Amino acid sequence: MKKTIFKAVAKLNKALLPSYSKKQLDLSKASKLQLAIIGWRVYITKNALD
């Protein structure tokens, strides 16, 4: 059940949150909010795949 929830949240992230890799964002110049969004997406993606 946990994995299905993470998969659903991952789909919402893909639809709602910006993709910084497509925008070629430099991580050293990213704001705290952008880093938080990147971290959130990594956490959700990692748990959806495991």
Side-chain angles (χ1 to χ4, degrees):
M1 181 173 155
K2 180 180 172 184
K3 190 173 183 179
T4 57
I5 292 172
F6 277 110
K7 283 188 177 189
V9 174
K11 287 185 181 191
L12 283 174
N13 282 348
K14 187 173 182 179
L16 299 177
L17 295 177
S19 174
Y20 293 120
S21 61
K22 289 181 183 176
K23 295 179 182 179
Q24 297 180 346
L25 177 70
D26 185 11
L27 290 178
S28 65
K29 295 180 183 177
S31 69
K32 297 289 184 184
L33 179 62
Q34 290 170 328
L35 290 174
I37 291 172
I38 292 168
W40 171 254
R41 290 186 73 157
V42 168
Y43 172 74
I44 295 296
T45 302
K46 182 181 175 219
N47 284 304
L49 294 176
D50 287 339

